[in-house]
């Protein structure tokens, strides 16, 4: 699969989706979740996260996703890393990265 990743939004980049993810460290281990086989990139491993809901900020989204997927409240202890702009053949999206 061919794709491009940018640190700044390039000219002409058509943003279709925004997602947030969290590099969640606990006891010196990084939490990775396995994607459901029916989802895009099914069966692969990644950090917990997901798409932003309407009117939701990236930080609100990552806090909600961690609560939904892991059952942990990180609302008082989450830090922003950066945003990447990713262009895949079928979708272009912003990925807001956080850590806890």
């Amino acid at each position: 699969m061919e794709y491009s990743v940018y640190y700044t939004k390039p000219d002409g980049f058509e943003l279709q989706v925004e997602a947030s993810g969290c590099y969640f460290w606990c006891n010196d281990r990084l939490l990775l979740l396995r994607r459901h086989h029916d989802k895009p990139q099914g069966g692969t491993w990644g950090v917990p996260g997901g798409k932003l809901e309407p009117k939701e900020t990236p930080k609100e989204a990552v806090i909600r996703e961690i609560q939904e997927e892991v059952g942990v409240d990180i609302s008082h202890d989450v830090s922003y890393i950066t945003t990447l702009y990713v262009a895949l053949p079928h979708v272009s999206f912003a990925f807001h990265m956080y850590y806890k």
Side-chain angles (χ1 to χ4, degrees):
M1 174 191 316
E2 195 160 321
Y3 63 92
S4 299
V5 179
Y6 308 93
Y7 286 102
T8 58
K9 187 177 175 183
D11 291 337
F13 187 88
E14 290 190 36
L15 184 62
Q16 297 168 300
V17 176
E18 286 189 82
S20 289
C22 186
Y23 293 83
F24 188 95
W25 291 92
C26 184
N27 298 325
D28 294 325
R29 293 181 181 203
L30 176 64
L31 174 67
L32 297 176
L33 302 178
R34 193 166 190 184
R35 294 184 59 79
H36 192 277
H37 287 284
D38 294 340
K39 298 283 185 172
Q41 294 96 35
T44 61
W45 294 87
V47 298
K51 295 179 190 173
L52 276 66
E53 293 181 353
K55 299 184 181 181
E56 189 174 46
T57 67
K59 186 174 182 178
E60 290 169 340
V62 80
I63 290 167
R64 175 185 51 78
E65 289 286 349
I66 293 293
Q67 181 65 47
E68 290 176 1
E69 295 179 5
V70 184
V72 175
D73 178 8
I74 62 167
S75 59
H76 302 301
D77 193 24
V78 62
S79 299
Y80 176 74
I81 301 171
T82 194
T83 296
L84 298 177
Y85 296 89
V86 182
L88 298 173
H90 61 285
V91 66
S92 296
F93 64 95
F95 183 64
H96 308 282
M97 299 164 52
Y98 292 84
Y99 71 92
K100 191 264 180 248

